Amino acid sequence: MIGKQTKGRGFRHLLDYLESREDAKLIGGNMSGRNARELAREFKLSRQLNSDADRVVYHVSLSAAKGDKLDDEKWSEIGD
């Protein structure tokens, strides 16, 4: 498993980027939104609970090692 961690200030930019990727798909999570706009709205509500927070986005990208094939169920389990 190969991981990359990124911190940022805005949810919408990250969500728009992920949604624009041809191979991207949502396979899990605890949010009810199903697209960038809906998810950004939910994240905005969460952010308002702590207006002093500066870097509120924490994004972890995971890639399978070369030769590994993981189905959506396994990816969801890893994400959880």
Side-chain angles (χ1 to χ4, degrees), residues 20-60:
S20 73
R21 304 238 345 158
E22 210 172 283
D23 58 345
K25 59 182 169 179
L26 183 62
I27 58 170
N30 61 358
M31 306 294 280
S32 63
R34 292 292 165 231
N35 60 48
R37 178 171 284 162
E38 291 173 3
L39 289 167
R41 198 172 311 137
E42 282 184 71
F43 285 126
K44 182 180 178 183
L45 292 172
S46 296
R47 186 177 191 170
Q48 290 172 345
L49 296 174
N50 186 358
S51 58
D52 293 333
D54 182 39
R55 296 217 177 243
V56 296
V57 177
Y58 180 74
H59 178 224
V60 179

Side-chain angles (χ1 to χ4, degrees), residues 2-5 7 9 13 17 21 27 32 35 37-38 41 48-50 53-54 58 61-63 66 68 75 77:
I2 303 162
K4 179 182 176 184
Q5 301 176 36
K7 290 183 181 181
R9 290 186 172 88
H13 185 271
Y17 165 74
R21 304 238 345 158
I27 58 170
S32 63
N35 60 48
R37 178 171 284 162
E38 291 173 3
R41 198 172 311 137
Q48 290 172 345
L49 296 174
N50 186 358
D54 182 39
Y58 180 74
S61 301
L62 298 175
S63 301
K66 192 173 187 174
D68 284 349
W75 278 116
E77 182 182 329

